[in-house]
Structure formats: C-alpha cells, structure tokens
C-alpha cells in the first residue's frame, strides 16, 4: 500500500466567539495516500472548508493529530510550516488569486521567489508550465487579458511550479462554465495520472465524479467515504 501523505486522527476544531464556543469538526479520522484523487463534498457549514484549511496548514486544529508527508504538523514552528507548505502543497482557489498587474509568467513564478530560486530558473520553470497548460503564447499577458478558464489554468500552473506532491483545490470550477470546467478537470486528471495527489472541495456532483474517492462531510463529521466507480470522462 502507498504511503499516506495526509493522516488525521481525532481532529477537532472549535472557534471561540463572543457567543461562546462553536465546534466545527468533531473527531475526524482520515488517511489519504500518495496518488489518490479525493473529492470532498458537504453542505455549507458542514466543516469541509475548515478541514481543507487545516490540511493546507492555513489553520490549526484545536485537538487531534495531523501528519503531512510524514511530519506532525503540531510540532512545527511557523517558519517550518511555511517551508513544508511551500515544498509539499500546491493550492488552487475558486477565485484564481492572480496578481492583476503582473504577467502570467511572473504570476506562475511567484512561489519560486519565496523558495529562493534564481530568476533564470524561475522563468524557465514558469514557461515550461505555461506550455503544459496550453498557454505558452500568453506569457506576457496579464490576467484581465485572458478568459476565466485560462486564468484557472494559470493558477494550476502556479500550484505546480514548486513540484508539489499534493494539490489542494477549493471549488476550482466554481466560477467557470460547464465546458471550461470539463477542460480544467481534464487537466487535474492528467496531473493525477502523473502521480500527484489531489484533494478537491466541490459542491457539484458532476465535478466530484472526476475523482476516484468521495468523502462527504455533514455537521462536522465524515458521513460517507467510498471509491467512485462511475467516473466522469476522460479520467
């Protein structure tokens, strides 16, 4: 069996508000292995977004254990967390999160600046990924000069630039039409076929069907976890 890149045990999250304690996650147990493609679903308020933020080391659990790529997250300093996140995880968001005044090439290369990679190598790696997502002709364009689907492909290229083992995608097709969504999901399928682990949050069943496994949240609990046997074309 492949190694678990994500392993959470009895994970709990409680927010403390003026109205009192607000428990969001209630003892989550989940392992995701290298090379899996997992869709996380659930209604608004089910805890899936909070869980995703914890997986991405953007938030911390109140109780329980989280091991990412063999390292216990709770034992790491802020700088160590940032290093682990930058080395292991690529993020893709619903809103693309591209810098509007920056070229597509420089948007993709930005994580490499924080990693201390020299400029020439940054540009080479960014250009290679622009080619991979079919946008090699647009390197000097800015985000407002391309379509939403193209912007999401740039965001995926940016997520890949540090050669991550894991991609966390939060509603990556939420702002796209159905045809463009299919194109983006086909790219995720290709990346998964290349061995990258993908964890995808979505509220759309047809998007979840591209994955190989479905995990469903309800009221802070996992209520469903099974393999997807009827997968969407072309995965």
């Amino acid at each position: 069996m492949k190694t678990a890149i994500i392993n959470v045990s009895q994970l709990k999250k409680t927010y403390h508000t003026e109205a009192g304690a607000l428990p969001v996650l209630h003892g989550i147990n989940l392992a995701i292995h290298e090379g899996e493609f997992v869709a996380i679903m659930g209604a608004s308020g089910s805890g899936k977004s909070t869980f995703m933020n914890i997986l991405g080391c953007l938030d911390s659990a109140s109780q329980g254990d989280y091991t990412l790529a063999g390292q216990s997250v709770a034992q790491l300093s802020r700088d160590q967390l940032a290093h682990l996140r930058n080395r292991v995880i690529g993020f893709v968001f619903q809103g693309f999160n591209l810098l509007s005044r920056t070229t597509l090439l420089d948007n993709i290369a930005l994580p490499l600046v924080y990693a201390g990679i020299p400029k020439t190598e940054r540009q080479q790696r960014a250009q290679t990924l622009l080619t991979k997502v079919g946008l090699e002709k647009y390197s000097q364009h800015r985000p407002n000069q391309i379509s939403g689907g193209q912007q999401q492909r740039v965001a995926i290229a940016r997520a890949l630039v540090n050669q991550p083992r894991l991609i966390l995608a939060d509603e990556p097709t939420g702002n796209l039409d159905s045809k463009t969504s299919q194109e983006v999901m086909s790219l995720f399928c290709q990346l998964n076929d290349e061995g990258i682990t993908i964890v995808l949050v979505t509220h759309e069943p047809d998007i979840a069907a591209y994955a190989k496994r479905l995990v469903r949240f309800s009221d802070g609990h996992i209520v469903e976890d099974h393999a997807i046997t009827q997968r969407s074309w072309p995965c």
Side-chain angles (χ1 to χ4, degrees):
M1 182 178 292
K2 292 185 178 181
T3 304
I5 189 169
I6 288 171
N7 200 333
V8 300
S9 176
Q10 289 300 308
L11 200 73
K12 298 181 180 181
K13 180 64 179 181
T14 300
Y15 292 104
H16 296 279
T17 70
E18 292 183 359
L22 177 64
V24 179
L25 297 176
H26 306 275
I28 301 297
N29 296 298
L30 185 69
I32 296 175
H33 295 89
E34 296 270 10
E36 285 203 87
F37 189 165
V38 181
I40 297 179
M41 299 191 73
S44 179
S46 63
K48 65 183 188 302
S49 294
T50 297
F51 183 65
M52 196 73 154
N53 285 337
I54 292 173
L55 293 188
C57 302
L58 302 174
D59 198 357
S60 58
S62 302
Q63 296 180 49
D65 297 315
Y66 172 30
T67 301
L68 173 63
Q71 290 191 264
S72 175
V73 168
Q75 307 303 317
L76 301 180
S77 68
R78 181 175 296 182
D79 286 346
Q80 288 172 325
L81 274 177
H83 176 72
L84 179 64
R85 190 167 54 233
N86 200 42
R87 179 173 56 86
V88 175
I89 304 174
F91 294 93
V92 181
F93 303 97
Q94 177 177 347
F96 317 137
N97 289 9
L98 302 176
L99 300 178
S100 60
R101 298 184 180 181
T102 303
T103 66
L104 304 187
L105 191 73
D106 286 341
N107 263 284
I108 293 170
L110 185 60
L112 298 176
V113 175
Y114 302 123
I117 303 298
K119 183 177 181 180
T120 300
E121 184 179 347
R122 293 199 306 263
Q123 292 183 333
Q124 288 174 344
R125 284 166 64 171
Q127 187 62 54
T128 297
L129 285 167
L130 266 177
T131 300
K132 185 180 185 70
V133 300
L135 297 173
E136 61 273 16
K137 297 178 181 179
Y138 299 93
S139 63
Q140 297 307 306
H141 284 61
R142 286 170 171 73
N144 65 356
Q145 296 174 308
I146 60 175
S147 70
Q150 289 171 324
Q151 288 185 57
Q152 192 59 293
R153 280 191 272 163
V154 172
I156 292 170
R158 181 186 56 195
L160 293 171
V161 76
N162 268 333
Q163 302 168 335
R165 295 161 59 186
L166 168 68
I167 288 180
L168 299 180
D170 190 0
E171 298 283 3
T173 62
N175 289 336
L176 306 177
D177 60 52
S178 57
K179 182 178 182 297
T180 306
S181 295
Q182 291 172 6
E183 294 171 354
V184 168
M185 293 309 300
S186 294
L187 180 55
F188 278 123
C189 289
Q190 176 188 336
L191 297 174
N192 183 240
D193 288 342
E194 293 171 3
I196 297 176
T197 307
I198 296 176
V199 181
L200 166 80
V201 165
T202 183
H203 66 277
E204 302 172 85
D206 57 330
I207 296 300
Y210 280 85
K212 299 175 181 176
R213 177 181 173 191
L214 172 66
V215 175
R216 191 182 301 275
F217 277 70
S218 179
D219 298 328
H221 298 272
I222 291 178
V223 295
E224 189 178 350
D225 183 357
H226 62 78
I228 296 175
T229 54
Q230 298 294 323
R231 302 182 67 206
S232 291
W233 184 90
C235 291

